[in-house]
Amino acid sequence: MNIYQSDPKVACSSTADPNSFAYVACTKRWPDIIRDAADDIEQGGERRGDAEAKKIAGRIRDLAHDLETDAPIEPFEHGLSGVTEYNDELGRLGCVSWLNCKWLFAECYIYRYIACLFAESTHWKGYDVFENAKRGAFTSSSKAVDELATRFMELREELHSKEGNEQQKKLLFVEILEICLWGNATDLSLLGTLDMAQLANRQGRQAIKESQKNIIDNDIDALWKDVATFNHKRVDIILDNAGFELFADLLFASFLIESGMASTVVLHPKDFGWFVSDVTMNDIKGLLGQMKDMNVDKITKLAEYWEGLFASRQFETFEHSFWTTAHPYCRMPYAAPDLLKELQKSDLVVFKGDLNYRKLTGDVHWPSTTPFQAAICPLSQQGLRVLTLRTNKADVCVGLEPGMEERLNKEAGGPAWRRSGKYAVISYCN
Ligand code: F6P
Ligand code: MG
């Protein structure tokens, strides 16, 4: 079977295009990320700086150099877990170099490459080179965490108040969904240079309210029509970033449980450090620990409440290696039929963040008025209800009304609106 058969017949975002965000990412952003990773294992902490660490750091730095000199992308050595699929696609792409490659493939390759260096080491197996950065980012978000925790408590009371009617329930649902959406605006791979005050300005409740007008494709009414009557359903969340975004995701997940809309929320983390800030199993535990370490009564209580939801299996986790392949999600029916089968048990599958959106849409140059449902084909034909909550941090964007792209180009003076994280989509298809 040809797993590539349903790839969109539209040109991919490519690092070869000097006007693209892919080009900026490859020439500037990735080398910085890669060198930070090398620094992490060489500097500070016990075992850091040992001979093996130096060797791994050296190979990571070589990778940065390869990017900067536009070296060919080499196949992985066989035998390591997860590399066959990369090598197969690389074989299909032919002779590609860092500045002449599908953006999606090249970027995923980097994180797989780094994971392989740890996997084949003796003392560093399973090491997450981004963990320290992830923990630090959560600490910087403490102001917004405090504010949103307070708001969540109020919201929970409003939800359970006797006067609550359907219209009110919808308003609360929209509010918590938007908290979850904008949690995606401040991930490390894009905004690593913000200081604490700037971060707080982007994350608080006021910022969320003001950003409502920046949701450029908003299917919330169609979504509500389907979920308003949800009673003890299963919702799956394909997670994106750790720390603050995961905190916002868990607020949304607990709203679903508290409201009775869901009896189970299944969380899908990554199986190794991915795109700098993505959630691994370890990050879920890490978040709960960090919340308790804040020594703020209401946040400790919230962490304990979530621990209870995990213990009672109202919150569950499900790991699958498909999420750390370079496959766009149109290949899921052929490349990961078991995962698709699992998601088909769900009543709503929520894809968080920019990379998930790129993979859903294939990361290609769709006209911006392409319906979301058409762009995520054939996943939209598999009986799933698909919701994506994404702040725009890459070129691909679909589901816009005619004329919207032109208005945005004017407003942002070019394509910056696609990449800045200022705009967002709530796209849904059933
Ligand atoms: O290069 C920036 C970038 O890594 C994009 O490639 C990617 O889509 C995004 O950041 C990650 O964003 P998110 O965490 O929302 O998926
Ligand atoms: Mg991410």
Side-chain angles (χ1 to χ4, degrees):
M1 187 197 326
N2 177 2
I3 65 163
Y4 307 99
Q5 63 195 14
S6 57
D7 283 13
K9 310 290 175 278
V10 181
C12 294
S13 280
S14 164
T15 58
D17 173 3
N19 297 318
S20 66
F21 193 43
Y23 182 85
V24 179
C26 185
T27 52
K28 178 78 189 95
R29 199 178 304 280
W30 298 345
D32 288 350
I33 288 173
I34 293 169
R35 290 204 172 91
D36 284 351
D39 289 348
D40 174 90
I41 50 174
E42 270 191 339
Q43 295 165 7
E46 57 181 286
R47 279 204 310 119
R48 299 217 160 86
D50 67 18
E52 195 170 40
K54 281 195 182 128
K55 196 172 138 208
I56 298 171
R59 288 191 61 191
I60 292 178
R61 288 212 172 84
D62 290 347
L63 178 66
H65 183 256
D66 282 354
L67 262 66
E68 286 167 336
T69 53
D70 190 20
I73 303 181
E74 303 287 352
F76 287 97
E77 279 168 35
H78 287 288
L80 288 167
S81 124
V83 300
T84 312
E85 287 166 300
Y86 281 85
N87 286 349
D88 288 349
E89 186 159 2
L90 196 56
R92 269 178 68 87
L93 292 173
C95 187
V96 289
S97 63
W98 284 101
L99 281 176
N100 182 20
C101 187
K102 276 174 68 171
W103 182 20
L104 182 60
F105 180 84
E107 194 163 20
C108 293
Y109 177 105
I110 289 174
Y111 294 94
R112 172 63 64 176
Y113 183 90
I114 293 174
C116 281
L117 294 178
F118 294 113
E120 63 191 2
S121 75
T122 311
H123 302 296
W124 291 80
K125 284 194 194 309
Y127 181 71
D128 180 358
V129 73
F130 306 113
E131 183 174 338
N132 291 316
K134 286 186 269 196
R135 298 290 178 273
F138 182 72
T139 310
S140 310
S141 303
S142 58
K143 189 162 173 254
V145 165
D146 193 285
E147 190 189 341
L148 295 181
T150 306
R151 181 58 194 141
F152 176 74
M153 311 291 177
E154 294 167 359
L155 228 119
R156 189 157 62 172
E157 267 175 39
E158 288 171 40
L159 185 65
H160 294 306
S161 81
K162 296 218 166 43
E163 294 87 60
N165 58 30
E166 271 315 292
Q167 195 48 33
Q168 253 172 316
K169 190 173 165 195
K170 179 180 176 187
L171 288 177
L172 298 178
F173 176 79
V174 171
E175 181 174 345
I176 199 82
L177 189 87
E178 287 182 6
I179 289 174
C180 182
L181 163 70
W182 292 105
N184 180 243
T186 51
D187 76 281
L188 287 175
S189 65
L190 197 66
L191 299 166
T193 54
L194 288 192
D195 65 26
M196 236 165 121
Q198 289 169 311
L199 206 61
N201 279 342
R202 281 188 175 236
Q203 291 175 332
R205 229 185 128 198
Q206 190 55 30
I208 292 169
K209 266 196 189 148
E210 283 164 11
S211 299
Q212 220 165 28
K213 62 179 185 317
N214 296 335
I215 303 174
I216 55 182
D217 177 32
N218 194 342
D219 294 335
I220 200 122
D221 288 335
L223 171 69
W224 182 248
K225 215 166 147 232
D226 282 357
V227 303
T229 54
F230 265 24
N231 189 10
H232 290 92
K233 299 288 189 185
R234 166 173 164 173
V235 174
D236 284 53
I237 305 180
I238 317 307
L239 296 170
D240 185 6
N241 300 315
F244 180 71
E245 182 168 353
L246 177 61
F247 176 81
D249 294 341
L250 294 185
L251 290 179
F252 175 59
S254 29
F255 178 91
L256 295 173
I257 300 283
E258 283 283 331
S259 63
M261 294 168 81
S263 54
T264 317
V265 178
V266 183
L267 306 167
H268 296 253
K270 305 295 186 305
D271 53 3
F272 58 82
W274 181 249
F275 279 69
V276 187
S277 27
D278 279 33
V279 178
T280 62
M281 281 295 267
N282 193 33
D283 293 328
I284 298 176
K285 245 195 271 147
L287 172 73
L288 299 175
Q290 278 195 293
M291 285 170 68
K292 289 184 186 168
D293 289 347
M294 285 169 76
N295 278 324
V296 178
D297 194 42
K298 68 179 165 212
I299 295 174
T300 305
K301 287 210 173 93
L302 190 55
E304 287 167 354
Y305 163 63
W306 285 342
E307 279 171 348
L309 292 178
F310 278 110
S312 61
R313 308 204 54 186
Q314 286 160 288
F315 281 0
E316 284 191 39
T317 51
F318 188 90
E319 262 192 310
H320 198 286
S321 57
F322 179 73
W323 306 120
T324 49
T325 65
H327 292 315
Y329 297 157
C330 59
R331 295 181 195 160
M332 195 192 292
Y334 321 103
D338 59 324
L339 175 62
L340 179 61
K341 218 165 158 193
E342 186 60 37
L343 295 181
Q344 282 167 335
K345 295 181 200 158
S346 183
D347 298 285
L348 177 69
V349 185
V350 185
F351 289 86
K352 281 299 311 285
D354 193 69
L355 177 65
N356 274 324
Y357 186 88
R358 287 170 58 198
K359 286 186 159 190
L360 277 169
T361 56
D363 205 33
V364 301
H365 295 295
W366 293 109
S368 60
T369 51
T370 309
F372 177 61
Q373 186 155 4
I376 69 165
C377 199
L379 209 60
S380 49
Q381 296 170 335
Q382 306 297 325
L384 302 178
R385 290 195 188 97
V386 175
L387 170 67
T388 175
L389 303 175
R390 172 248 192 166
T391 62
N392 294 38
K393 292 180 270 179
D395 288 337
V396 61
C397 186
V398 298
L400 301 191
E401 292 292 329
M404 174 69 97
E405 179 181 353
E406 292 70 18
R407 179 169 82 66
L408 291 168
N409 279 337
K410 221 165 158 190
E411 209 170 286
W417 63 271
R418 294 177 179 274
R419 309 161 181 179
S420 61
K422 179 179 165 193
Y423 296 92
V425 296
I426 299 175
S427 303
Y428 174 66
C429 85
N430 53 14

